[in-house]
Amino acid sequence: MWCEPNIRMLAKGHLYSAVLLFVLRGATEPRSVEAQISSGFNFLVVFPENIAYFYPEEPHNQVHVTALHDNTEVTVAIRKQTHTETLAAAQTRRFFYYGNAELGREDISDKVVRVNSTGQVTVYAVSVKAGSVQSARVLPVNVLGTEYLVLPVPKIQGTTQPPDMVSAYVTEFAPFRLVVVNAEKVNTVSLEGDSNNTREVELEPYHAAQFWLDTDKAWRVLRAKHPVAVLFGHPCTMTNVTLNCSCSMLYAALTPKRHDKMAFLVPPPLTQDSQVQTALLLSQEDSSLVDSSYPGWPLVELPGIVVLHQPGLLLPLIPQSELASCYVVNTVQDAHNFAVILVHKDLTAGVRVGSGPPEDPIWRTLTGTDYVSTVVKLSLDNNAIWHTSDKIAVYYMGEKEDALFGNPAPAVSQTSDYRGCVLSPEVLEIGPEALGWQESVKFCRDLNLHLVSLSSLPLLDQVQAKIRQEHTGDGFPKRAWIGLRRSTLTGAWYWINRETVTVSNWKGADPKGTHGGQCVTISLELDQEFDWSREYCCQNVHPICYRGPNLFPM
Ligand SMILES: *[C@@H]1O[C@H](CO)[C@@H](O)[C@H](O)[C@H]1NC(C)=O
Ligand SMILES: *[C@@H]1O[C@H](CO)[C@@H](O)[C@H](O)[C@H]1NC(C)=O
Ligand SMILES: *[C@@H]1O[C@H](CO)[C@@H](O)[C@H](O)[C@H]1NC(C)=O
Ligand SMILES: *[C@@H]1O[C@H](CO)[C@@H](O)[C@H](O)[C@H]1NC(C)=O
C-alpha cells in the first residue's frame, strides 16, 4: 500500500519499458486467483447444522480473524449485533458464537456472520459440537462467484450407502446439502441439474439458503445473479459404522467455477490405515465422478474442481497454477493441529514454518510429479508457512477424536523472498537516465528508495534472479550503479546502507589501491555473471534503486 504513490509517478512515462515492468512487478504484481481469494476486507461466514440442530450439546462456533497489518479494525456482525476490535499485525482473534449462529434445517436463514476490516485479514470458520469439528477457509466477498460446480456425493457407509436408506427423516441418512450465502444485494439463486431440473430461490441481503441434494436429480451447477459463497457437505456423516452415532460434520467451502483446465496435485494419504477409505470427488461442466482408486493419482487435470474425501474430511485441492509463496495457518483449540506442505522436490530446503525450517521433515514423493510433501506439527495460534524462493501448497489439518478435518490454508502472498512472508514485495527499479553516482543516490532517495546495497549473499542472488527474469534483451542497460563506494578518508569499501562488506563479485581480483574509480557498477549483461567493476563516480550510469519488502511479523 505505502509504495503506491511512487508507482503512479513512475508509471507516467519516461521509463524504459523494461524498467516499467520492474516497477509493476515489484509493487502491484498481478496476483492469481488463489492469492486473491485468501486475504481481504469483507467476508461472510455461516455455520451449517453440526450433527443435528437439536443435539443436546452447545456448539462452539468460531470465526478466526488474523490481521496482516498493525491497527486493523475488525468488525464482526450477526443480525443487529456488532462487535469491533483492533488487531496488531499477525494477531489472531477468535470470535465465539454459541447457540445463536448455527443453522437449523430452515430453507432460508439470516444467521450470517459478516466480517469487515480496515486492513487485509484472513478468516477461518470453525464449527465444534461435541467431537464433531470442521474448519473452512473463508473467501473474501470480492472473489466470490456467480457460478459453482456441484460436487458428486461421496459414498459413505451408514450415510449415503446403502442408497435406499437416504431419507430426509434420519439425520445421518439425510441428503448432502449446499449452503448458499448471499452478499449485499437481493439475489436469485438457482440450482440446475440434468434433464432440465431447476430449483430457484430469492435471497435477501446477508441471508443463507439450503438446498438438499437428492441424488436422483444429478445436480450440476449453482448459478446466482450476484456473487454468493457456497458450502457443500452434510451435518452428520458416519466416520465409523461400528461405533454407533460416531458421526461428524463434513463441509467444504467451494471456489467459484473456473473455465481453464487445471492440474491438481493430490497429497499422499494422510493416514497409514488401509481401512480408511479415501476418494477424490471430481466435478466439471457436465460430468462428475467419485474416484475411489486413490492414491492412484498424484496429479489430476480437469477444468473444474477436485476435493479429497476421507472420513470427516472434505479437502478442496489447490490448483498447481495457483500455488502461493506464503500462507497463514490458524489452529483449533483442543485438536491435534498440523499442516501438509507440497513443494518442488529440489527446493525442500527453502520451506519455512515461522522463522525456521521444519524439524526433521520426512519428504514423501508424489509419484510421477516433481513434487514431494511433508506433514508438520503446528503449535502456535497462527503460523506463517512460506518458501524462500518458490511457490508451495499448504493445507491446514486438524484431528479430534480420531476424525480429520481441514482446509486449504489462506494464501497471503505470491511473491517469495528469502527474508520472510511478503505482504508488500521489495521494489527494484532501474532508473531511466544515466546519472553520476552521487546524483543516482539522490534520484533513488527522491523516489523513497535507496541505491541498492547488495550486502548479503541471498539478497545478491535474489536481485540477480529478478534481473535475469525481467531482462528484455537489446536496449536493456548494460551496467548499473550499486551502493558501494570507497571512503576517501580510509580507503575502505563501504555500502551506503552501512552494512559491512562481506560479499563481493568483482570481475577478476579485488581492486587494490586508490587509483581508478571509487564507485562500483554491476554488469547487467546476461552472459557476464553480474560481476562488479570500479568506475569513476562522475560517469553517467543507470542507478538500481531498491527498497526491501514489508513482511508478516513472526
Ligand atoms: C463494517 O461494518 C459495519 C456495520 O456492520 C460498519 O458500520 C463499518 O463502517 C464497516 N467498516 C468498514 C471498515 O467497512
Ligand atoms: C431441456 O431444455 C431445452 C431448452 O428448453 C430443450 O431443448 C431440451 O430438450 C431439454 N432437455 C430435456 C432432457 O428435457
Ligand atoms: C471403528 O471403531 C472400532 C471400535 O473402536 C475400531 O476397532 C475400528 O478399527 C474402527 N474402524 C475404523 C475404520 O476406524
Ligand atoms: C451399537 O448398537 C448396538 C445395538 O443397539 C449395540 O449392540 C452395540 O453394542 C453398540 N455398539 C457400540 C460400539 O456402542
Side-chain angles (χ1 to χ4, degrees), residues 306-358:
V306 180
V307 173
L308 186 150
H309 170 246
Q310 271 193 358
L313 173 69
L314 277 181
L315 187 64
L317 300 186
I318 305 170
Q320 198 175 4
S321 55
E322 296 178 1
L323 302 184
S325 301
C326 176
Y327 299 79
V328 173
V329 189
N330 287 169
T331 56
V332 172
Q333 285 153 324
D334 307 322
H336 164 57
N337 293 289
F338 57 104
V340 175
I341 305 171
L342 276 62
V343 60
H344 190 282
K345 62 180 169 42
D346 300 333
L347 298 171
T348 55
V351 172
R352 298 285 179 276
V353 178
S355 52

Side-chain angles (χ1 to χ4, degrees), residues 296-516:
W297 291 346
L299 187 81
V300 181
E301 280 188 89
L302 81 170
I305 50 175
V306 180
V307 173
L308 186 150
H309 170 246
Q310 271 193 358
L313 173 69
L314 277 181
L315 187 64
L317 300 186
I318 305 170
Q320 198 175 4
S321 55
E322 296 178 1
L323 302 184
S325 301
C326 176
Y327 299 79
V328 173
V329 189
N330 287 169
T331 56
V332 172
Q333 285 153 324
D334 307 322
H336 164 57
N337 293 289
F338 57 104
V340 175
I341 305 171
L342 276 62
V343 60
H344 190 282
K345 62 180 169 42
D346 300 333
L347 298 171
T348 55
V351 172
R352 298 285 179 276
V353 178
S355 52
E359 272 176 48
D360 305 322
I362 297 168
W363 295 104
R364 298 172 68 186
T365 306
L366 276 67
T367 318
T369 75
D370 287 335
Y371 281 76
V372 292
S373 86
T374 194
V375 170
V376 298
K377 243 176 147 161
L378 301 174
S379 47
L380 303 171
D381 260 11
N382 68 63
N383 307 260
I385 298 185
W386 55 285
H387 196 279
T388 53
S389 64
D390 202 27
K391 294 179 183 175
I392 56 178
V394 176
Y395 297 95
Y396 162 73
M397 304 291 299
E399 193 171 12
K400 194 170 177 178
E401 299 184 6
D402 292 335
L404 277 177
F405 54 92
N407 52 264
V412 301
S413 181
Q414 283 272 298
T415 307
S416 56
D417 192 290
Y418 69 95
R419 285 157 286 202
C421 172
V422 171
L423 298 179
S424 47
E426 65 180 4
V427 177
L428 180 69
E429 192 231 318
I430 299 177
E433 267 181 83
L435 303 165
W437 191 87
Q438 202 58 52
E439 292 75 45
S440 293
V441 169
K442 183 175 183 306
F443 173 82
C444 293
R445 196 177 292 147
D446 287 350
L447 298 178
N448 203 11
L449 304 170
H450 302 283
L451 191 60
V452 68
S453 290
L454 300 171
S455 47
S456 80
L457 203 51
L459 179 61
L460 187 69
D461 287 344
Q462 189 164 293
V463 165
Q464 289 178 183
K466 202 158 183 176
I467 293 172
R468 197 172 281 123
Q469 192 187 333
E470 301 298 327
H471 203 287
T472 50
D474 292 349
F476 200 81
K478 292 192 170 15
R479 58 199 179 116
W481 287 127
I482 58 175
L484 184 63
R485 83 172 278 177
R486 186 199 289 276
S487 162
T488 43
L489 213 57
T490 66
W493 293 102
Y494 70 94
W495 289 112
I496 55 169
N497 72 358
R498 303 191 186 283
E499 284 180 26
T500 48
V501 180
T502 52
V503 293
S504 65
N505 193 28
W506 295 109
K507 185 180 183 131
D510 281 17
K512 299 251 169 13
T514 49
H515 55 280

Side-chain angles (χ1 to χ4, degrees), residues 216-325:
D216 56 332
K217 298 288 198 320
W219 298 110
R220 293 278 181 237
V221 63
L222 182 121
R223 278 183 235 280
K225 209 154 131 198
H226 305 290
V228 290
V230 178
L231 298 166
F232 166 83
H234 193 283
C236 175
T237 56
M238 297 309 262
T239 44
N240 181 336
V241 274
T242 39
L243 289 174
N244 300 335
C245 305
S246 70
C247 81
S248 95
M249 177 197 210
L250 190 66
Y251 268 94
L254 303 183
T255 43
K257 179 177 160 190
R258 281 160 289 192
H259 298 274
D260 301 333
K261 185 162 164 180
M262 289 182 297
F264 296 86
L265 295 160
V266 185
L270 297 164
T271 165
Q272 307 294 335
D273 188 345
S274 55
Q275 296 285 301
V276 173
Q277 269 228 332
T278 304
L280 290 181
L281 314 182
L282 305 133
S283 198
Q284 47 189 325
E285 183 76 67
D286 24 274
S287 72
S288 69
L289 168 76
V290 180
D291 188 285
S292 306
S293 68
Y294 177 88
W297 291 346
L299 187 81
V300 181
E301 280 188 89
L302 81 170
I305 50 175
V306 180
V307 173
L308 186 150
H309 170 246
Q310 271 193 358
L313 173 69
L314 277 181
L315 187 64
L317 300 186
I318 305 170
Q320 198 175 4
S321 55
E322 296 178 1
L323 302 184
S325 301

Side-chain angles (χ1 to χ4, degrees), residues 75 77 82 114 116-118:
T75 300
T82 70
R114 310 179 304 273
N116 70 12
S117 60
T118 54

